[in-house]
């Protein structure tokens, strides 16, 4: 009986940490975003539009399926996935698609992506105040960071 109770408490604590991810987040500031997108090959005009937006992220979960909706004045982009399963995502700018696999941990969602321009990773790291999004590529060392506040 004590073991079952301990297991239930551990599961409840884990779920409470997971719930922290679900919600809405408003962009506050970015670091190195322009340089990162330049390295990725995003054209100048599109890059300037992206860098000068303040997107909002909404994260939801229904059953095993997660949804990350990124809303901006330029374009909305929705990513739907089940952790550990490969999925295809449309690139927000253009018609290309990339193959992705997402991992969900206590305070982090990591999306590993592979497309024509190589392999990349997006990490969403959550804390009590919001989230930090980290964009990186295996092709170069530039890393971009976007900070969001929970709303």
């Amino acid at each position: 009986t004590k073991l079952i109770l301990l297991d239930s408490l551990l599961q409840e604590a884990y779920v409470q940490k997971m719930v922290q991810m679900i919600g809405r987040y408003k962009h506050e500031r970015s670091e190195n975003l322009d340089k990162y997108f330049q390295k990725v090959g995003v054209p100048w005009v599109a890059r300037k539009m992206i860098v000068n937006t303040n997107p909002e992220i909404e994260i939801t979960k229904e059953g095993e399926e997660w949804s990350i909706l990124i809303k901006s004045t330029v374009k909305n982009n929705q990513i739907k996935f089940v952790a550990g399963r490969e999925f295809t995502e449309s690139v927000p700018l253009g018609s290309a698609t990339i193959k992705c696999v997402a991992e969900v941990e206590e305070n982090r969602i990591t999306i590993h992506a592979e497309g024509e321009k190589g392999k990349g990773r997006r990490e969403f790291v959550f804390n009590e105040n919001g989230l930090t999004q980290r964009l990186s590529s295996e092709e170069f060392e530039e890393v971009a960071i976007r900070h969001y506040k929970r709303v």
Side-chain angles (χ1 to χ4, degrees):
T1 317
K2 290 180 182 179
L3 186 56
I4 293 171
L5 180 59
L6 178 59
D7 184 54
S8 294
L9 290 172
L10 289 172
Q11 286 180 4
E12 184 178 322
Y14 182 74
V15 168
Q16 286 176 350
K17 287 184 179 182
M18 296 290 287
V19 170
Q20 174 181 340
M21 295 180 189
I22 295 168
R24 289 181 33 232
Y25 303 86
K26 182 71 177 156
H27 178 257
E28 289 189 310
R29 62 186 168 85
S30 296
E31 300 170 29
N32 209 34
L33 197 60
D34 189 56
K35 285 183 184 177
Y36 175 81
F37 282 125
Q38 183 179 12
K39 288 280 192 177
V40 172
V42 175
W44 186 85
V45 172
R47 213 169 58 237
K48 295 305 173 190
M49 286 173 37
I50 294 168
V51 169
N52 290 307
T53 62
N54 289 305
E56 186 175 295
I57 294 178
E58 183 176 351
I59 298 176
T60 58
K61 184 175 187 245
E62 287 188 33
E64 292 185 15
E65 185 177 71
W66 289 86
S67 172
I68 300 175
L69 175 60
I70 303 168
K71 301 177 191 177
S72 77
T73 54
V74 177
K75 185 175 182 178
N76 294 342
N77 185 38
Q78 186 167 31
I79 307 163
K80 288 188 172 192
F81 62 89
V82 173
R85 291 192 197 156
E86 186 175 289
F87 63 97
T88 303
E89 180 185 350
S90 297
V91 176
L93 299 171
S95 58
T97 58
I98 52 177
K99 291 182 181 179
C100 303
V101 175
E103 299 172 2
V104 179
E105 300 172 81
E106 282 185 13
N107 71 331
R108 179 185 314 258
I109 296 174
T110 305
I111 300 174
H112 302 275
E114 186 172 353
E116 292 177 5
K117 297 185 179 184
K119 295 180 180 179
R121 183 172 64 211
R122 284 169 287 170
E123 294 176 287
F124 300 84
V125 181
F126 300 84
N127 62 47
E128 60 279 352
N129 298 319
L131 76 86
T132 301
Q133 180 184 20
R134 180 182 159 99
L135 307 167
S136 61
S137 172
E138 290 185 9
E139 310 304 314
F140 50 85
E141 292 184 18
E142 297 293 338
V143 173
I145 299 173
R146 297 193 99 173
H147 300 274
Y148 294 81
K149 182 176 182 175
R150 185 180 294 274
V151 292

